[in-house]
C-alpha cells in the first residue's frame, strides 16, 4: 500500500471499543463501512469482531461467511443465549478479523424478542458473557430500522458511528436517529454517545455532494471524520466476490479512503460525542 504499508501497526485501544454502525435510512453505506473499516483495522494490528445484526446478512456475505440451514448465527445468540464465541468465524484471508454472522432467522427476531426478558439488552448480555480482552474492536452492522435489533446494538455499545450518504435527503431522519440515541442513553445505556460520522458515496463532480458534506460538517464539527469515502465502482463490486474492497482492490480510491477513515478512528480518542 504505497509506502504507508499494511505492516504499519496502529495504537490499540486500552479496552475493546464497541461501535454500532447505525442509520435507519437504507442504503447509506452502513454495511460497506462496517466491513471495510473492520478489515482496515485488522490489517493494521487490531483484533476485530464484526457482528452482523441485519437479517439481510450483507456483512456476512461480504466477509465470505458460508451459511446454510444449520448455521448458528447472531439470532441464536439473541434468542437462545448461544455464546458469541461459538458462532464467530474467522474471515478468510484477513487474520485477526472475525464475524458473527446473521442468518435469515434474524428477520423474526424483532418479534420474538418482544416477549423475552430484558429484550433490549440481549446483545449486551451476550457481550458480557464474552471475554473481550483479546479484542480491540467490535463493530456492529445495524439493519435499516430503529427497531429492537438496533436498540440491542445501542444498548450493547459505547459508540455510535453514523454513515451519511452525500445525497439529497441525506439528513432526513437524522434527528430521529439522534433522539433515539438520547432515549437509549437516558434509559438503558448512560455511556452511549455518537462518536463518529462518516460521509459516504461522495461524488466530487456534483455540487450536491459538496453541499451535503458542508452542511454535515458545519452541524457536527469534529464528529465528522476528515476522510470522506468517494463513490467507487470497486467498492460496490467487492461484495460479489465475498470480499472487502481492502482485499479486492487495495489501491482503489474507495479502499484508500476506508483505510484513512479507519486510521482516523484508531488514532482518535473517543472524543466529545453527542447524545
Ligand atoms: N463508496 C461507495 N461507492 C460505490 N458504491 C457504494 C459505496 N458505498 C456503498 N456502495 C453501494 O451502495 C449500496 C448500499 O450500501 P450498503 O449496503 O453498505 O448500505 P447499507 O446502509 O448497509 O444498506 P441497508 O440499509 O440495506 O443495510 C451497496 O450496493 C453498496 O455496494
Ligand atoms: Mg446494510
Amino acid at each position: 500500500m504505497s509506502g504507508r504499508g499494511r505492516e504499519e501497526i496502529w495504537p490499540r485501544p486500552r479496552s475493546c471499543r464497541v461501535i454500532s454502525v447505525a442509520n435507519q435510512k437504507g442504503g447509506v453505506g452502513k454495511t460497506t463501512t462496517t466491513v471495510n473499516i473492520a478489515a482496515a483495522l485488522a490489517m493494521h494490528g487490531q483484533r476485530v469482531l464484526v457482528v452482523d445484526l441485519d437479517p439481510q446478512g450483507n456483512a456476512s456475505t461480504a466477509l465470505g461467511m458460508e451459511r446454510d440451514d444449520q448455521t448458528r448465527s447472531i439470532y441464536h445468540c439473541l434468542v437462545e443465549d448461544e455464546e458469541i464465541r461459538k458462532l464467530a468465524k474467522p474471515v478468510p484471508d484477513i487474520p485477526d478479523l472475525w464475524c458473527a454472522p446473521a442468518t435469515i432467522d434474524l428477520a423474526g427476531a424483532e418479534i420474538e424478542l418482544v416477549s423475552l426478558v430484558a429484550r433490549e439488552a440481549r446483545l449486551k448480555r451476550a457481550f458480557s458473557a464474552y471475554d473481550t480482552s483479546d479484542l480491540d474492536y467490535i463493530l456492529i452492522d445495524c439493519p435499516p430500522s430503529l427497531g429492537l435489533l438496533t436498540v440491542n446494538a445501542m444498548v450493547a455499545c459505547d459508540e455510535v458511528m453514523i454513515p451519511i450518504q452525500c445525497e439529497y435527503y441525506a439528513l432526513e431522519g437524522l434527528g430521529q436517529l439522534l433522539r433515539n440515541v438520547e432515549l437509549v442513553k437516558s434509559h438503558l445505556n448512560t455511556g452511549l454517545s455518537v462518536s463518529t460520522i462518516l460521509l459516504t458515496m461522495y461524488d466530487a463532480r456534483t455540487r450536491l455532494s459538496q453541499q451535503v458534506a458542508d452542511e454535515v460538517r458545519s452541524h457536527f464539527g469534529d464528529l465528522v471524520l476528515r476522510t470522506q469515502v468517494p463513490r467507487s465502482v470497486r467498492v460496490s463490486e467487492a461484495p460479489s466476490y465475498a470480499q472487502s474492497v481492502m482485499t479486492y482492490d487495495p489501491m482503489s480510491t474507495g479502499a484508500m479512503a476506508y483505510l484513512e477513515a479507519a486510521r482516523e478512528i484508531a488514532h482518535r480518542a473517543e472524543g466529545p460525542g453527542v447524545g
Side-chain angles (χ1 to χ4, degrees), residues 110-127:
E110 291 272 5
I111 293 163
E112 286 178 65
L113 281 170
V114 171
S115 59
L116 296 183
V117 177
R119 60 195 176 190
E120 301 91 354
R122 305 294 294 187
L123 188 62
K124 183 187 174 69
R125 207 165 86 149
F127 286 170

Side-chain angles (χ1 to χ4, degrees), residues 60-164:
S60 308
T61 305
L63 292 173
M65 295 292 108
E66 284 178 15
R67 285 154 293 159
D68 58 30
D69 295 351
Q70 306 304 315
T71 303
R72 307 293 284 176
S73 77
I74 205 73
Y75 166 83
H76 301 96
C77 161
L78 292 174
V79 177
E80 296 175 6
D81 289 327
E82 175 123 0
E83 284 177 48
I84 294 196
R85 191 170 290 277
K86 286 198 183 141
L87 53 92
K89 303 238 163 44
V91 171
D93 304 326
I94 307 183
D96 290 329
L97 180 57
W98 296 71
C99 176
T103 48
I104 193 65
D105 320 270
L106 203 52
E110 291 272 5
I111 293 163
E112 286 178 65
L113 281 170
V114 171
S115 59
L116 296 183
V117 177
R119 60 195 176 190
E120 301 91 354
R122 305 294 294 187
L123 188 62
K124 183 187 174 69
R125 207 165 86 149
F127 286 170
S128 311
Y130 182 78
D131 175 12
T132 54
S133 62
D134 56 3
L135 282 177
D136 299 304
Y137 290 87
I138 297 177
L139 264 56
I140 308 170
D141 185 26
C142 292
S145 79
L146 290 171
L148 263 177
L149 288 170
T150 298
V151 170
N152 263 271
M154 289 189 181
V155 171
C157 72
D158 319 302
E159 301 175 51
V160 178
M161 169 155 63
I162 306 177
I164 296 181

Side-chain angles (χ1 to χ4, degrees), residues 229-244:
V229 179
R231 203 171 260 292
S232 143
V233 176
R234 308 303 268 171
V235 170
S236 57
E237 284 172 357
S240 53
Y241 296 90
Q243 284 191 47
S244 72

Side-chain angles (χ1 to χ4, degrees), residues 137-216:
Y137 290 87
I138 297 177
L139 264 56
I140 308 170
D141 185 26
C142 292
S145 79
L146 290 171
L148 263 177
L149 288 170
T150 298
V151 170
N152 263 271
M154 289 189 181
V155 171
C157 72
D158 319 302
E159 301 175 51
V160 178
M161 169 155 63
I162 306 177
I164 296 181
Q165 189 183 2
C166 296
E167 290 287 351
Y168 200 55
Y169 295 134
L171 305 181
E172 202 180 63
L174 210 55
Q176 198 189 356
L177 175 59
L178 295 176
R179 277 193 296 282
N180 267 56
V181 172
E182 274 299 327
L183 277 173
V184 172
K185 182 182 163 78
S186 55
H187 297 288
L188 299 162
N189 179 9
T190 50
L192 185 67
S193 71
V194 174
S195 67
T196 312
I197 291 177
L198 176 64
L199 294 163
T200 64
M201 293 181 244
Y202 183 85
D203 187 343
R205 294 165 305 177
T206 70
R207 195 133 46 97
L208 180 62
S209 266
Q210 186 60 52
Q211 280 168 355
V212 172
D214 289 347
E215 194 173 339
V216 171

